[in-house]
Amino acid sequence: MKKTLLALAITSASLCALPALAQDDTLSNSAPTSASGNYQPNQAVGSGNWFIGANVGQAHVAQGPYNDHPTTYALTGGYRWKVGPDVGLGVDIGYNDLGNFRLKNAFNSDEVNLTDRRNALRGWTAGVNGRINVWQGLYVSGRAGVYGWRGHGYSNQDVNRHSLDKVDYYAGAGVGYDFNDNFSLGLAYDYYHARKHGISLSSDTATVSAEYRF
């Protein structure tokens, strides 16, 4: 199932990029054209804008004794160009935590930071993203890139947790709705590959996403 979802994510990212590659070469050598289309309808083709995004949802990692669905948080920022009437393509960087913190514990006597108890990932992302607005604000999205992660995990029947870090990859896909040129809400699935020394902490997340464009 995860392989199918990962393939869907990579395919979505590829589909978002294809229209950009198919644009006329004159787009990069001329001034932005007039505004049109479903993607950022008030923005001219060839122009772009900065954006920030946030995701909250559930992560899943089946490793050692921790096979649960902790809360995940992610922040992203980047720049996206309108490369066609219905297509946006951009770059972004971000940070995520896939379950080391339980914020609701701040209201009781339990610890908020659960890093010593869970094998959840945390780290930086850097990659590309794309959107295709299919109809009046409705969009599909894709993203992929490198993931510099840190985490703890168990090797086979070893009772000792190992501290790990490495640069791997991530990929994701989503759907959502643009309420206007500045704000959108959506649902996203992301897969984060994390494997080192025979220990796999690869995780997938299902989140609600929000984005604000400047």
Side-chain angles (χ1 to χ4, degrees):
M1 180 64 177
K2 290 183 180 179
K3 290 183 178 180
T4 301
L5 292 173
L6 178 59
L8 176 61
I10 295 175
T11 300
S12 298
S14 300
L15 289 175
C16 288
L18 284 175
L21 297 176
Q23 292 297 311
D24 189 348
D25 290 339
T26 59
L27 179 61
S28 60
N29 299 321
S30 61
T33 61
S34 60
S36 64
N38 291 304
Y39 177 75
Q40 300 289 88
N42 297 315
Q43 181 175 317
V45 174
S47 62
N49 50 280
W50 295 97
F51 68 88
I52 56 174
N55 293 63
V56 178
Q58 286 191 329
H60 176 249
V61 54
Q63 180 70 24
Y66 302 109
N67 186 356
D68 58 4
H69 296 79
T71 302
T72 178
Y73 312 94
L75 292 174
T76 307
Y79 194 87
R80 188 182 298 121
W81 293 267
K82 181 173 181 175
V83 297
D86 303 322
V87 182
L89 186 64
V91 295
D92 59 67
I93 59 172
Y95 181 83
N96 64 20
D97 187 287
L98 306 189
N100 293 290
F101 291 86
R102 181 175 289 177
L103 297 185
K104 67 179 182 180
N105 284 359
F107 302 99
N108 53 47
S109 59
D110 294 332
E111 292 185 36
V112 173
N113 187 347
L114 304 178
T115 305
D116 293 334
R117 307 180 194 177
R118 283 182 167 160
N119 295 334
L121 296 174
R122 60 194 183 278
W124 293 92
T125 61
V128 295
N129 64 84
R131 284 194 177 192
I132 299 177
N133 280 52
V134 293
W135 182 72
Q136 296 184 358
L138 295 175
Y139 70 82
V140 295
S141 64
R143 70 191 198 108
V146 296
Y147 184 43
W149 58 270
R150 298 186 66 186
H152 297 81
Y154 293 88
S155 178
N156 297 324
Q157 302 301 316
D158 194 342
V159 296
N160 298 312
R161 296 174 79 220
H162 302 272
S163 179
L164 305 168
D165 61 88
K166 188 182 176 184
V167 176
D168 271 305
Y169 68 88
Y170 71 92
V175 295
Y177 183 78
D178 288 326
F179 290 90
N180 51 50
D181 278 2
N182 300 108
F183 182 72
S184 64
L185 285 175
L187 299 174
Y189 167 84
D190 293 286
Y191 173 80
Y192 299 90
H193 186 78
R195 185 177 181 88
K196 186 176 183 180
H197 300 325
I199 301 175
S200 177
L201 296 178
S202 297
S203 304
D204 57 290
T205 66
T207 61
V208 174
S209 62
E211 181 179 283
Y212 184 82
R213 296 172 291 274
F214 298 94

